[in-house]
Amino acid sequence: MRVLLVGINPGIRSATVGHHFAGYSNRFWKLLHESGLVPDPIGPEDDVRLPEWGLGITNLIARPTPGIDTLRPAEYQEGIGILRRKVRRWKPKVVAFVGVSLYRAIFAKKGPIALGLQSDTFQGARVVVLPNPSGRNANFSYADMLAAFTTLADLASARAS
């Protein structure tokens, strides 16, 4: 596995349809393709194909919610332990946290966070922070999102060769 993509938790639509990042306004799948992480345009129903390209996908917390406001600190702690075990087992070269809030929660960071490659590691893997691609995220433009995903694609590609 080249990259493990980690979301915070499934949204209601994702839980309903059983696929990651399935919200109607979510740009995750478009960003994967346009950045070069995957060669074909794909959608949520194709999440099972990600291993074809050396990608894995998981969530920190399994419980679906409409937003992150109702997630409890104990759920984060339990999720971090589970994620550590997954990373030790799958040994990705890069762990990409999809969302600045998720990165802050895992690494107890405060203040501004730059997108892209971080100095932190997670269970020996390099760490990249991606913006949350939800249509509700007004913190980053699409161009900013694409630049962060492209940085990840370039890093994953360089590590693969």
Side-chain angles (χ1 to χ4, degrees), residues 53-92:
W53 302 293
L55 305 175
I57 191 165
T58 192
N59 287 303
L60 184 70
I61 299 168
R63 182 170 67 92
T65 60
I68 64 170
D69 298 345
T70 62
L71 298 175
R72 300 179 300 274
E75 290 176 291
Y76 283 93
Q77 290 310 310
E78 180 183 357
I80 291 169
I82 292 167
L83 182 60
R84 284 186 178 125
R85 290 190 293 277
K86 288 177 181 178
V87 171
R88 284 194 304 265
R89 179 178 176 206
W90 294 333
K91 297 177 178 50

Side-chain angles (χ1 to χ4, degrees), residues 1-128:
M1 180 183 301
R2 294 182 306 146
V3 176
L4 177 61
L5 297 149
V6 182
I8 194 161
N9 77 311
I12 299 301
R13 175 150 169 73
S14 290
T16 301
V17 301
H19 295 288
H20 294 273
F21 295 101
Y24 293 114
S25 66
N26 201 298
R27 296 158 293 187
F28 178 82
W29 300 102
K30 183 177 180 184
L31 288 161
L32 280 187
H33 173 64
E34 289 185 2
S35 68
L37 277 162
V38 300
D40 304 319
I42 60 173
E45 64 283 355
D46 300 305
D47 56 6
V48 297
R49 294 187 59 202
L50 291 176
E52 293 176 27
W53 302 293
L55 305 175
I57 191 165
T58 192
N59 287 303
L60 184 70
I61 299 168
R63 182 170 67 92
T65 60
I68 64 170
D69 298 345
T70 62
L71 298 175
R72 300 179 300 274
E75 290 176 291
Y76 283 93
Q77 290 310 310
E78 180 183 357
I80 291 169
I82 292 167
L83 182 60
R84 284 186 178 125
R85 290 190 293 277
K86 288 177 181 178
V87 171
R88 284 194 304 265
R89 179 178 176 206
W90 294 333
K91 297 177 178 50
K93 304 299 182 211
V94 178
V95 175
F97 294 102
V98 184
V100 172
S101 296
L102 173 58
Y103 174 74
R104 277 193 182 113
I106 290 175
F107 289 93
K109 300 277 185 177
K110 301 213 185 285
I113 303 293
L115 298 176
L117 184 63
Q118 306 298 310
S119 60
D120 298 299
T121 60
F122 189 83
Q123 298 298 300
R126 298 181 83 179
V127 170
V128 169

